[in-house]
Amino acid sequence: MEKIASAKKLEAEGRAAEAAALYEQAFGETDEDWMAVKAGELYRAAGNAKKGRQVIDRVIGCGNPIIYDRLLRFYFDTGDYKGASDLFSELFTDAVREKRMAFADRLLRAGAFGEAEEWYKTCIGTVANDPYPYLSATGDVQAEQYGYFVRRALRRGDRHFRRGAYREALAQYAHAAKLSDYAKKKQAECCFLLKDFERAKNLYRELVQKTDDAYFKFMLAECYNSEDVDVNTLEDALYWYEYALEGGCEFVYYHLGLCYQFGRGTEEDLAKAEKMFEEGTKYKIDEGDCYCKLGNLAYMRGDTDKAAEYYRKAAKLNNARALLNIAIGYLNKEIRCFRFGEVKCFLAKAAALGSRRAYDLLKELEQ
């Protein structure tokens, strides 16, 4: 189309207002949604944001998610965060929690603390119970090496496991455990999730003896370290954590750090704890928790600036405890590099991530 070619040429020459006018005319003739968006963006670039918004608002309701993203970006770029929030509500009336959280994060990064806080509040109380973070994904087995009945049991077990029906999954994996190490591993994971730590421990021990896999040593340590296991097993947990670390298991650093920090199964050693947490951040495993713990150690030393730096890193990784710690430090007048609106927003986000203490503290501040 001639007008579009002319508009592109004017845009390349830096004549944004003239290009915008041509795109607007082309939109009127063709109803191509992207042309209205392009015209609006160019009007904004030319310094006429009001005109740009009038044009761009004409395609609200078009149903195109790519266009919707550009519409929201227009509002963000012009600093109209309230408008962006209202537009998001209009465009995504049934947005799932993850989408609302992502939009709130976007508002938080833009400094729109009030709007972000309100969106985080819509997510409070809807946190899903995710499975244990270190358990393996289902379906990673080369089933073709097994017979028909084993393959069927594995498929059924994986299907039950994915939907959280761990007892049913356990029964299916048990049919194949004698022939498949994968089935035995998933059987152990089901026992762990069902808090049958004694049985899980025996299964992981069998797997360690057979394969010497560092992951199984780590999970064996987790069985010993479970809150449902007698406290006298903490020394056994430490032994298996250290044994797993020798085998190269990267899951271990955060857990060993906790052992050294609180004297679980060993003498308290804050220097060793700090080293473990630092290693954990390098491997990007439990990274948010490791940064939060480093912040706690810095806070204990009285280095509130360093603590705030670590907490901020953990907060960016959606660590609820770090967000809460920032708020508590701010309210105690020990961490001052944040604003009150930002701190309230942090509390709302922590509450959305499942922190009851953050929820209670937010309610106290609002009274």
Side-chain angles (χ1 to χ4, degrees):
M1 187 175 179
E2 187 177 338
K3 283 184 181 177
I4 296 176
S6 299
K8 288 181 178 179
K9 183 178 179 182
L10 290 169
E11 183 182 358
E13 293 172 356
R15 297 157 67 181
E18 295 172 63
L22 281 178
Y23 275 120
E24 185 181 3
Q25 291 175 25
F27 169 68
E29 295 170 4
T30 65
D31 285 331
E32 291 278 348
D33 298 322
W34 71 270
M35 294 183 189
V37 177
K38 190 67 175 176
E41 291 171 344
L42 287 169
Y43 276 128
R44 182 195 64 212
N48 192 348
K50 183 178 179 181
K51 175 67 173 175
R53 178 167 171 174
Q54 289 174 349
V55 176
I56 208 168
D57 282 352
R58 290 162 66 182
V59 293
I60 292 175
C62 67
N64 187 327
I66 298 174
I67 296 295
Y68 284 170
D69 184 65
R70 290 178 67 178
L71 292 177
L72 287 169
R73 196 186 318 149
F74 181 93
Y75 279 78
F76 271 91
D77 289 346
T78 55
D80 185 2
Y81 304 120
K82 177 65 167 61
S85 186
D86 292 341
L87 180 60
F88 185 88
S89 297
E90 182 179 349
L91 298 179
F92 306 105
T93 53
D94 299 320
V96 297
R97 176 183 179 274
E98 289 73 16
K99 193 174 186 70
R100 285 179 279 130
M101 283 287 288
F103 182 67
D105 288 343
R106 191 172 176 181
L107 289 166
L108 174 60
R109 289 193 297 271
F113 304 131
E115 287 78 10
E117 180 185 339
E118 292 306 313
W119 279 104
Y120 285 130
K121 287 178 180 177
T122 69
C123 303
I124 293 174
T126 59
V127 179
N129 292 319
D130 295 325
Y132 195 71
Y134 308 107
L135 303 186
S136 60
T138 58
D140 61 349
V141 60
Q142 295 179 350
E144 62 272 9
Q145 63 183 293
Y146 303 116
Y148 168 75
F149 291 104
V150 172
R151 292 199 303 270
R152 185 176 66 174
L154 292 175
R155 284 197 300 271
R156 287 178 174 176
D158 286 348
R159 191 160 56 246
H160 288 309
F161 192 95
R162 280 193 292 269
R163 63 183 182 87
Y166 302 121
R167 291 192 185 282
E168 291 84 349
L170 179 61
Q172 292 299 323
Y173 290 132
H175 293 315
K178 288 184 179 179
L179 297 173
S180 166
D181 287 343
Y182 170 79
K184 182 163 287 189
K185 175 176 68 171
K186 298 304 294 185
Q187 193 181 15
E189 292 178 355
C190 288
C191 291
F192 187 92
L193 289 165
L194 293 167
K195 297 188 182 298
D196 186 353
F197 298 112
E198 191 63 33
R199 189 177 175 192
K201 185 172 62 177
N202 292 333
L203 287 166
Y204 280 123
R205 192 181 293 277
E206 287 180 35
L207 288 164
V208 167
Q209 291 172 346
K210 184 175 181 179
T211 67
D212 200 39
D213 191 304
Y215 166 78
F216 297 135
K217 296 172 187 175
F218 166 74
M219 288 304 299
L220 186 54
E222 287 288 87
C223 292
Y224 278 115
N225 198 32
S226 166
E227 60 183 14
D228 289 27
V229 176
D230 189 271
V231 293
N232 293 328
T233 64
L234 291 177
E235 290 184 6
D236 292 319
L238 179 70
Y239 168 81
W240 285 105
Y241 280 138
E242 291 181 335
Y243 197 9
L245 183 61
E246 289 177 13
C249 182
E250 297 169 356
F251 297 134
V252 174
Y253 293 107
Y254 174 68
H255 302 268
L256 268 178
L258 292 178
C259 290
Y260 294 133
Q261 182 181 0
F262 298 108
R264 296 178 181 173
T266 184
E267 294 293 324
E268 184 180 301
D269 190 329
L270 297 184
K272 275 189 177 181
E274 188 168 22
K275 182 179 179 182
M276 289 295 105
F277 294 138
E278 286 174 349
E279 289 297 314
T281 64
K282 294 177 184 176
Y283 287 100
K284 309 295 183 184
I285 296 172
D286 294 312
E287 188 179 8
D289 289 326
C290 287
Y291 275 127
C292 186
K293 287 298 181 184
L294 287 169
N296 291 350
L297 292 174
Y299 197 91
M300 289 165 58
R301 293 195 301 268
D303 190 349
T304 55
D305 289 340
K306 194 67 175 176
E309 180 185 334
Y310 282 131
Y311 287 148
R312 190 183 284 276
K313 288 180 179 180
K316 288 180 179 178
L317 296 167
N318 292 334
N319 186 278
R321 185 66 201 179
L323 291 160
L324 175 61
N325 287 348
I326 288 172
I328 292 173
Y330 176 89
L331 295 172
N332 289 339
K333 299 183 179 179
E334 295 172 319
I335 294 178
R336 303 301 297 171
C337 55
F338 299 94
R339 287 171 280 178
F340 181 68
E342 188 176 11
V343 166
K344 279 191 67 186
C345 190
F346 287 163
L347 284 173
K349 183 173 183 179
L353 290 169
S355 172
R356 181 69 193 184
R357 179 72 184 94
Y359 177 80
D360 294 339
L361 187 53
L362 183 63
K363 288 295 182 185
E364 290 176 22
L365 292 177
E366 291 177 342
Q367 289 176 356

